[in-house]
Amino acid sequence: MNSIVRRFSLPLFLFLLLDIHAAAQKKEKCGTMQLLEMQFRKDPTLKARMARQEAAFEQAVEARLRNKAFAKEQAAPVLVPVVFHIVLSNPSLVTDAQIQAQLDTINRDYAGLNGDSVHIPSYFKALFGKSQINFCLAQRNPNGEPTTGIIRATTSQSSFTIDDKVKHAETGGDNAWDPTRYLNVWVCNLSGGYLGYGTFPGMGNLVDQGVVIHYGSVPGGFLTGYNEGKTLTHEIGHYFNLYHVWGDDGGACTGTDYVDDTPNQADATSGCPSGVKTDACSPTPPGILYQDYMDYSDDACLVMFTNGQVARMETALNSLRVSLLTSDGCQPVVLKSNDAAVRAILQPESRLCNPGFTPAITLYNRGSSPLTSVTILAQVDNGSIVATPWTGNLASLGTTTVTLSALTAPTGNHVLTVYTSTPNGVADENSSNDTLHYNIMYFPPFNPPIAESFEGSNFPPDGWDIVNPDGYYTWQKVTGVSKTGQSSVFIDNYDYSINGQQDYLRLPQVNIANVDSAFISFQVAAATYTEPTTLNNTWDTLEVLVSTDCGATYTSVYKKWGSLLVTHPGATTKAYVPTSTEWRKDSIDISSFIGAGTVLLAFRNTTEYENNIYLDDINVRTVTVNPNLKAKGFLVTPSPTSGQIAVQFYPQPKDLKAIVIYSSFGQKVLETDINLGEANNYYSYDLSRFAPGVYIIRAFFQDRVVTNKVVLTR
C-alpha cells in the first residue's frame, strides 16, 4: 500500500482489527487475523507488545531498504528447516510426494523461480521480489535423530478450527517441534471455510508458532482452485510478518500492510481476474495487485511477492525469527556404527506408592550396525548400580522395550538414572545419548490430619506432587495472595490458551483405615473471563479426585465450573487475583473410601482459557466415633459433670427437631430448636449455673423421642 496509508498509526490499525467480522461479511479463507483478534480480546497487553514490536521492526526494514546491497538480496541464501505434521483420521491421505511438491512450491515462490511468474503484468514486473529464504524438510529431529521431516499423527477429531488444538497431542493434534529451530506446519482438515492460518512473530504462545493449512490445499489436493500449494506460501508470509495486501479494513482504504510498493486495495480478491483490475482504493490503472501471494485470489492467479514484502520477510528472519538461522535442522545426521541410547523411561511413574519398583525403558539403536547386545545400568541417586544385560537383534534406528532389574527407593525425592554401556561389546561411539535422568518420589502414607497452607519454603511440599502432561502452565505457589498466611497455590487459566489440558495437584497418600468418617476441605477462589451466566460456554473446571490404586484411576467426588465455582461476582477480563473476602470453604465427605485404607487425593484443573483458580488451607481429617455412641446412637458425656456436657448423635441425625434439658422436677432449663435438615451430630451445653442434681436430656425427632440422664455435681 502507498506510504500515506502505510504511515497510518499502528494502534488505530490494531483497533480496526477488532471490527474485522463486522466490516467483512464474506467467509474468510485465511484465519490469521481472526485468531489475532481473538488473542487481542483475551490479552489486551498483546496489542501493545505487538505495536512496540512493529514500530521497531519498521525502522529495521527501512534501514534494510536503504542499504542497497540488501535491497537486492539477502546476504546469502538461508535454509529454514520445516517439519510437516499431518494430522488426519487417515494421515496417508496426504502422500510424501505431495509434501515434496508442497516444499518445491514454496521454494520456487519465495525464490521467485516459479514458472507462472511469466503472468506478472509488465506494469508490475519492476515490483517482482526474489527472496533468499529457502526451505528444507527437516533432516534431524530436536533430539538430533534422523527424520524425514514428515510426521503422521492419527486423530479422532473429524476437523479442527483456528483454536490451535491441532498443535497439541492432548487435544487430538500433534505437538510442535522446538519452534525456535523449526518452522512447524500442520496439515489437517480445517473447518469453517478456512484454507489456513499462521502466526505473526510474537503472537500468542511460543509453542503455537507456525502455520496450519487444509490438507486439500496441498498440490494435487481436492480443493479446486486452491490446490496448487499457494495457501502455504500465503501463511508462511504471515509467519514472516506480512499482512494481507488490502489491510483488513473492510474496504475503508485506510488499513495497511506496512509495505510501500503494494497498491492500496479495498478488499480481498476472489476468483482469478485478468487484466487491469481497479477498485475504490486504486480506481485508476494499473489498479490492484491481485497476483500477490498475500491476496485471496485462486492459486493459479497468485504469482509474486513484491520487493518491499521480501525486504520485510528477510528482516523478520534476521530479527524476529533469527534463531532459525542457527538451527541444524537441515543438516543430515551421520550415524556412528555402535551407538545405543536410552530414549525414554517408561516405568515407574514419578510417584511411587511402594519403595520397590521395576524400571522399564525404551532402548534405541542409533547406530548404523544392528544392536545385538548392550548393558543397561540403573541407580537411585548415588546408590548401588544395578546392571541388566540385554541381547537381541535390533535394527538400525529401531526401538524395543526392556524391563530392568528391580530397585528400591528410600523415603523422599530422588533421581533415577539409567544409562547404556558397551553396545555390541565395544565402547559406545556417541556417549551423549546414553543417559536419562528421571525424578521419582516415595513417601509412606501420611496419617491424618493433613493441614497445608503452603507457607513452607518447599513447593510442592513433601509428599505432594504435580502432574503436568503438556509441560506448560500448571499449579504453582503464589505469595501475597491467600486466605490465611501469605501464600496459596493457583493455576494460570487466564494465560493457559490450550483448551482441555488437565493438571493435577496431588496430596500425599493418606491412611484413612479404621476410622468412622473422613473429609477433605479447602478454601477456593475463582473467576471467569466470560460472564458466568453465559449459556453453552465451556468453562475451566475444578475437580477433587480420589484414587485407590496410586493414581492409575480416579473417582471424581467434587466437580465445579462456571457459576458453580466462581467466588468473584461477574466476569473479569483481567488476570484474576482474589480479595480477602473472595474465598469460599468447600468440604467433601470421602468416608465411602475408608475401606480402601490408603487413598491418593488430587485436585484436577481442566482449562478452557477462562481465568485463574486459587486454593488454600487444604485439610484432610478423620473422625473416630466413641464405641458407646456407635452402639447407642445417642450419648451424653461426661456423667457426673461439674458443668460442661456434650450431646452427640451417630450417625448425623436428619430429622432432629429439638434438644431439651429438664431438671429432676420436670422444669425446662435449656432448649435448642433445630430447623429440618440443619442438625449436627454434636452439641455442647454448660450446666454450671444450675443446682446440683439429676438432669434429663431429651432429643425430639419427627417420629420419636430419646432420653438420657446426667448428674451435675460441684
Side-chain angles (χ1 to χ4, degrees):
M1 291 190 175
N2 63 51
S3 59
I4 295 176
V5 174
R6 182 170 175 264
R7 297 298 180 190
F8 194 75
S9 68
L10 181 67
L12 182 55
F13 166 61
L14 295 178
F15 174 79
L16 290 173
L17 285 179
L18 300 180
D19 296 318
I20 290 172
H21 290 304
Q25 298 299 318
K26 66 183 183 302
K27 182 174 286 188
E28 298 290 346
K29 296 173 183 175
C30 167
T32 300
M33 305 310 287
Q34 285 68 33
L35 178 60
L36 182 60
E37 174 191 355
M38 290 162 53
Q39 293 188 357
F40 280 163
R41 287 175 174 167
K42 182 67 180 181
D43 181 7
T45 65
L46 175 62
K47 184 190 301 186
R49 293 198 304 270
M50 290 189 69
R52 290 193 298 270
Q53 174 181 283
E54 180 60 33
F57 179 74
E58 284 196 67
Q59 293 179 2
V61 174
E62 290 171 358
R64 188 179 190 84
L65 289 171
R66 286 195 301 268
N67 185 330
K68 293 183 179 180
F70 281 105
K72 291 184 178 180
E73 62 179 1
Q74 173 90 10
V78 295
L79 269 176
V80 174
V82 183
V83 53
F84 287 87
H85 308 261
I86 304 173
V87 185
L88 294 166
S89 57
N90 179 8
S92 64
L93 290 175
V94 177
T95 66
D96 286 2
Q98 285 179 295
I99 294 299
Q100 185 60 56
Q102 178 66 86
L103 186 79
D104 294 342
T105 297
I106 59 175
N107 271 322
R108 288 192 297 265
D109 291 347
Y110 277 76
L113 300 176
N114 50 314
D116 51 10
S117 62
V118 298
H119 300 302
I120 300 173
S122 59
Y123 41 85
F124 284 140
K125 279 195 178 291
L127 304 180
F128 185 26
K130 299 182 179 182
S131 167
Q132 292 297 306
I133 302 175
N134 297 287
F135 305 90
C136 79
L137 284 173
Q139 298 295 296
R140 62 176 65 213
N141 68 18
N143 295 324
E145 300 165 350
T147 181
T148 63
I150 302 173
I151 306 300
R152 287 184 160 79
T154 301
T155 182
S156 59
Q157 299 294 317
S158 59
S159 64
F160 295 90
T161 185
I162 61 171
D163 59 5
D164 283 340
K165 287 185 177 180
V166 71
K167 301 176 181 179
H168 302 275
E170 294 82 2
T171 51
D174 194 51
N175 294 335
W177 287 10
D178 182 352
T180 66
R181 298 171 56 198
Y182 301 88
L183 166 55
N184 288 273
V185 177
W186 288 268
V187 183
C188 66
N189 185 21
L190 269 177
S191 61
Y194 293 111
L195 294 175
Y197 68 94
T199 56
F200 294 107
M203 170 181 165
N205 298 312
L206 176 62
V207 295
D208 293 333
Q209 286 289 303
V211 168
V212 179
I213 60 171
H214 197 297
Y215 78 104
S217 73
V218 299
F222 63 87
L223 292 177
T224 304
Y226 307 104
N227 56 359
E228 296 182 17
K230 303 298 179 69
T231 293
L232 184 57
T233 303
H234 176 106
E235 301 304 344
I236 292 176
H238 289 311
Y239 177 81
F240 285 123
N241 218 25
L242 292 187
Y243 287 84
H244 293 138
V245 289
W246 66 93
D248 293 281
D249 59 2
C253 301
T254 53
T256 181
D257 64 351
Y258 305 100
V259 177
D260 282 341
D261 60 2
T262 54
N264 201 354
Q265 184 168 322
D267 215 333
T269 306
S270 61
C272 192
S274 61
V276 173
K277 180 176 174 62
T278 60
D279 66 12
C281 302
S282 289
T284 60
I288 64 170
L289 185 60
Y290 58 82
Q291 299 91 348
D292 194 282
Y293 291 126
M294 299 313 293
D295 204 345
Y296 275 2
S297 305
D298 290 357
D299 278 14
C301 237
L302 299 176
V303 296
M304 65 178 290
F305 288 116
T306 69
N307 290 315
Q309 287 174 321
V310 167
R312 189 173 170 89
M313 289 191 292
E314 291 181 348
T315 302
L317 176 61
N318 283 277
S319 57
L320 303 179
R321 302 211 182 272
V322 66
S323 61
L324 294 173
L325 298 177
T326 55
S327 172
D328 60 356
C330 289
Q331 299 175 15
V333 176
V334 178
L335 296 179
K336 303 294 184 180
S337 180
N338 297 289
D339 183 6
V342 181
R343 172 171 271 185
I345 297 176
L346 306 175
Q347 292 292 334
E349 299 290 338
S350 60
R351 156 100 54 145
L352 300 176
C353 290
N354 293 291
F357 64 97
T358 303
I361 68 158
T362 298
L363 177 64
Y364 177 44
N365 180 12
R366 201 173 178 278
S368 58
S369 300
L371 183 64
T372 58
S373 67
V374 67
T375 299
I376 306 166
L377 304 108
Q379 66 181 142
V380 176
D381 299 331
N382 295 317
S384 300
I385 298 173
V386 177
T388 302
W390 177 88
T391 58
N393 193 339
L394 189 59
S396 176
L397 305 182
T399 62
T400 188
T401 299
V402 181
T403 300
L404 308 185
S405 302
L407 292 168
T408 301
T411 296
N413 297 295
H414 307 285
V415 176
L416 170 64
T417 301
V418 180
Y419 56 101
T420 59
S421 176
T422 58
N424 295 330
V426 299
D428 197 309
E429 297 174 55
N430 177 20
S431 60
S432 65
N433 55 31
D434 290 355
T435 306
L436 281 185
H437 303 284
Y438 185 62
N439 293 324
I440 59 174
M441 57 177 283
Y442 169 69
F443 288 87
F446 285 38
N447 291 317
I450 295 175
E452 184 56 62
S453 297
F454 306 104
E455 301 300 319
S457 58
N458 292 336
F459 184 79
D462 284 348
W464 296 61
D465 70 339
I466 291 170
V467 180
N468 178 20
D470 65 351
Y472 205 38
Y473 289 101
T474 193
W475 294 101
Q476 58 184 301
K477 179 179 176 179
V478 59
T479 301
V481 182
S482 63
K483 175 61 178 177
T484 61
Q486 297 297 316
S487 302
S488 63
V489 295
F490 90 112
I491 190 160
D492 187 2
N493 289 326
Y494 181 84
D495 293 308
Y496 201 173
S497 61
I498 311 170
N499 293 337
Q501 301 306 295
Q502 295 185 326
D503 289 80
Y504 298 73
L505 174 64
R506 303 198 299 183
L507 282 70
Q509 289 188 96
V510 56
N511 180 14
I512 59 172
N514 302 316
V515 299
D516 292 295
S517 55
F519 303 88
I520 178 173
S521 64
F522 54 93
Q523 294 283 347
V524 60
T528 55
Y529 185 92
T530 309
E531 281 295 335
T533 56
T534 303
L535 298 176
N536 301 318
N537 189 51
T538 306
W539 305 99
D540 301 328
T541 302
L542 178 67
E543 293 180 83
V544 177
L545 309 175
V546 182
S547 175
T548 59
D549 54 12
C550 196
T553 60
Y554 291 96
T555 300
S556 180
V557 294
Y558 168 104
K559 188 174 185 179
K560 290 187 178 182
W561 63 88
S563 60
L564 300 174
L565 178 63
V566 295
T567 60
H568 176 81
T572 175
T573 57
K574 297 181 179 179
Y576 174 57
V577 178
T579 66
S580 60
T581 60
E582 290 180 343
W583 292 84
R584 180 185 67 242
K585 183 178 180 179
D586 284 352
S587 182
I588 307 120
D589 187 341
I590 56 172
S591 301
S592 60
F593 296 91
I594 290 172
T598 300
V599 297
L600 174 60
L601 299 165
F603 291 89
R604 179 168 68 189
N605 175 83
T606 303
T607 181
E608 287 294 337
Y609 203 20
E610 281 290 327
N611 220 315
N612 302 335
I613 297 174
Y614 293 78
L615 297 173
D616 201 5
D617 298 342
I618 298 171
N619 291 276
V620 180
R621 64 182 179 89
T622 57
V623 176
T624 301
V625 178
N626 184 305
N628 292 329
L629 175 59
K630 291 177 69 174
K632 297 178 180 180
F634 175 50
L635 192 64
V636 180
T637 57
S639 183
T641 179
S642 60
Q644 296 290 337
I645 63 169
V647 179
Q648 300 177 75
F649 300 90
Y650 182 83
Q652 183 164 316
K654 297 181 180 179
D655 52 358
L656 181 64
K657 297 169 58 180
I659 300 172
V660 183
I661 302 177
Y662 301 88
S663 71
S664 58
F665 303 105
Q667 179 185 7
K668 183 189 297 184
V669 297
L670 288 172
E671 180 177 10
T672 302
D673 292 321
I674 299 165
N675 294 326
L676 186 63
E678 296 182 1
N680 295 317
N681 58 7
Y682 182 93
Y683 295 87
S684 62
Y685 297 94
D686 185 1
L687 303 181
S688 60
R689 69 181 185 274
F690 301 117
V694 176
Y695 288 82
I696 312 300
I697 295 91
R698 288 196 174 103
F700 292 85
F701 294 83
Q702 285 186 312
D703 58 351
R704 69 195 188 282
V705 178
V706 295
T707 302
N708 211 324
K709 296 180 180 180
V710 67
V711 177
L712 175 62
T713 65
R714 283 288 182 263

